[in-house]
Amino acid sequence: MEVAGPEDAPCPRAPSETAAAAAAAAAPPRSFPSLLLGIKDKLCTCHILKTLALGQVLSLFICGTAVASQYLAEQYKVNTPMLQSFINYCLLLLVYTTMLAFRRGSDSLLQILKRKWWKYILLALVDVEANYTIVKAYQYTTLTSVQLLDCFGIPVLMALSWFILRARYRLIHFIAVAVCLLGVGTMVGADILAGRQNSEGSDVVVGDVLVLLGASLYAISNVSEEYIVKNLSRVEFLGMVGLFGTIISGLQLAIVEHTDIAQIQWNWKIVLLFVGFALCMFGLYSFMPVVIKVTSATSVNLGILTADLYSLFFGLFLFGYQFSGLYLLSFGVIMVGFILYCSTPTRTAEEATTSLPQPASIGFDNLGLKIEENHQETPAATVQLTKEENVRVNTG
């Protein structure tokens, strides 16, 4: 039997490592209440609560636009989505484009137009058509299809953020998105049970394609908005979208809705509904860049999934909708998913690369042993001086 010598004995652990290991072994397992307290401390932070509140403000703005549009359609038979969007773009033009016009230097309106006019034309076109196609889809398909297929924009948005914004997601983010979509499914089920799906739509295939197209266009618009807001400025985005959005929506309005506008029987109630829609839409456009700057476009889109529920709650009093407890359940599920998503920040590709695990340290004792082994393996070297004062190195 071989007997180990002193050189084969295991290296003693450093005092700090020994103390840490002893403390870890002696520490009692965390109790269930302490575990719940830790989860609460992680989820109920100031940042998450602020993000939650900001997202619900956006949902209320969207709810206002939905209620005003539905009231115009059901009570006064007014279906003019392009006219309503045109008024919003005009407000953006009057406020934010005017602010750009008074700027000087490289951020002035003329300089931006010289450098990036074609990019903002494309962005405004995407934004205008996203609004138009979603509203137009309601004329062809059912509410269920719109609510479900509109969620298609979230995976498209995440994919665009991955490639364009170089965002990197963790497993918790995908789980959170799945939870939010489960909440949407619960809401749709509640709609069906409550009898809100009476209309079958005139052409379901056309309507579904319009919803998918609109959701994809919204994703492109939101990713572009996040890039501009975080790298350039909020005023530049809103000013340029207001400028070109007014032109594009005005031309489209004259082509596709001039007959519908001529048939409107104007009164003060209709005017008030148009004003209410325009103010809610203007508030949504003005406030969304603020929220995106402190969170992300994906987070915002998850947060505003509750907008349909707010519209439903208003519809209980305005349109005689039936109430179902599943609506409250779906609201809670969406909120849980939204909080889960916000609990862990996303990373950029550069941050993900720099945070890769590094090789573990071998410790001071092992390092000293390694140096000693290398020293023993290195051949000895001697230097001799000859009479001619030349240097000769011998290795033995």
Side-chain angles (χ1 to χ4, degrees):
M1 182 175 66
E2 183 180 356
V3 179
E7 65 276 9
D8 299 320
C11 297
R13 301 181 68 176
S16 58
E17 294 180 356
T18 304
R30 296 184 67 183
S31 62
F32 185 70
S34 63
L35 183 62
L36 289 179
L37 185 59
I39 295 175
K40 178 183 176 182
D41 292 338
K42 181 176 177 60
L43 297 182
C44 298
T45 63
C46 180
H47 172 74
I48 292 179
L49 294 177
K50 181 174 70 173
T51 304
L52 187 66
L54 293 175
Q56 298 320 293
V57 171
L58 295 179
S59 288
L60 289 174
F61 279 130
I62 296 175
C63 169
T65 62
V67 170
S69 296
Q70 188 169 357
Y71 212 88
L72 283 170
E74 292 191 1
Q75 300 296 324
Y76 301 101
K77 308 303 178 184
V78 175
N79 291 288
T80 54
M82 191 53 62
L83 173 60
Q84 293 163 228
S85 296
F86 174 75
I87 298 173
N88 169 58
Y89 289 120
C90 288
L91 292 177
L92 295 176
L93 171 68
L94 291 175
V95 176
Y96 296 104
T97 309
T98 303
M99 293 173 63
L100 283 180
F102 283 98
R103 283 186 174 182
R104 296 292 181 266
S106 60
D107 293 334
S108 65
L109 178 61
L110 291 179
Q111 293 300 321
I112 294 174
L113 289 174
K114 287 180 181 179
R115 299 193 311 267
K116 296 174 283 190
W117 61 272
W118 63 274
K119 297 180 181 178
Y120 282 112
I121 287 179
L122 293 178
L123 177 57
L125 179 64
V126 167
D127 194 75
V128 170
E129 300 309 324
N131 289 323
Y132 182 74
T133 52
I134 290 292
V135 175
K136 196 70 176 176
Y138 282 98
Q139 300 179 15
Y140 297 98
T141 189
T142 62
L143 178 63
T144 301
S145 295
V146 174
Q147 290 174 326
L148 288 177
L149 295 178
D150 193 32
C151 297
F152 176 73
I154 294 176
V156 173
L157 180 58
M158 295 180 72
L160 292 175
S161 298
W162 180 285
F163 291 106
I164 298 177
L165 303 178
R166 301 179 62 81
R168 295 297 179 261
Y169 302 100
R170 302 174 188 266
L171 178 61
I172 186 66
H173 295 124
F174 295 103
I175 295 176
V177 170
V179 172
C180 287
L181 296 183
L182 178 63
V184 174
T186 306
M187 176 179 63
V188 172
D191 284 340
I192 295 175
L193 294 176
R196 293 185 62 202
Q197 305 301 322
N198 297 327
S199 174
E200 294 297 329
S202 58
D203 195 330
V204 176
V205 175
V206 173
D208 291 349
V209 171
L210 287 175
V211 176
L212 293 175
L213 176 61
S216 301
L217 292 176
Y218 269 128
I220 296 173
S221 176
N222 289 339
V223 168
S224 303
E225 180 176 359
E226 181 175 354
Y227 178 84
I228 296 171
V229 167
K230 290 186 176 180
N231 294 279
L232 298 173
S233 76
R234 164 178 169 267
V235 174
E236 179 175 332
F237 169 77
L238 294 174
M240 300 309 293
V241 168
L243 173 62
F244 292 112
T246 300
I247 297 173
I248 295 172
S249 62
L251 293 174
Q252 191 166 339
L253 168 68
I255 296 172
V256 301
E257 286 187 358
H258 61 278
T259 303
D260 295 328
I261 296 173
Q263 295 176 351
I264 298 177
Q265 302 295 322
W266 292 97
N267 58 53
W268 68 270
K269 294 181 180 179
I270 293 179
V271 172
L272 189 62
L273 288 171
F274 269 97
V275 171
F277 177 92
L279 292 178
C280 288
M281 201 69 168
F282 178 77
L284 175 66
Y285 270 73
S286 300
F287 197 56
M288 182 175 282
V290 178
V291 184
I292 287 180
K293 190 167 185 177
V294 299
T295 57
S296 67
T298 304
S299 176
V300 167
N301 277 265
L302 292 176
I304 62 178
L305 289 176
T306 56
D308 288 335
L309 290 168
Y310 290 129
S311 301
L312 166 77
F313 296 147
F314 278 98
L316 294 174
F317 303 99
L318 297 176
F319 308 112
Y321 291 159
Q322 274 190 319
F323 178 77
S324 172
L326 289 177
Y327 289 124
L328 295 179
L329 176 61
S330 64
F331 182 84
V333 172
I334 292 174
M335 285 292 97
V336 168
F338 182 55
I339 292 173
L340 282 177
Y341 187 93
C342 297
S343 65
T344 304
T346 58
R347 299 173 296 172
T348 63
E350 292 76 11
E351 293 172 346
T353 302
T354 55
S355 63
L356 291 175
Q358 302 297 325
S361 173
I362 59 177
F364 289 108
D365 297 333
N366 292 339
L367 180 61
L369 181 60
K370 191 72 177 176
I371 293 175
E372 183 179 355
E373 291 175 354
N374 291 338
H375 176 69
Q376 293 173 355
E377 295 173 359
T378 304
T382 59
V383 179
Q384 296 180 353
L385 295 178
T386 63
K387 292 181 179 180
E388 292 80 13
E389 294 183 352
N390 291 327
V391 178
R392 184 175 61 193
V393 179
N394 293 331
T395 60

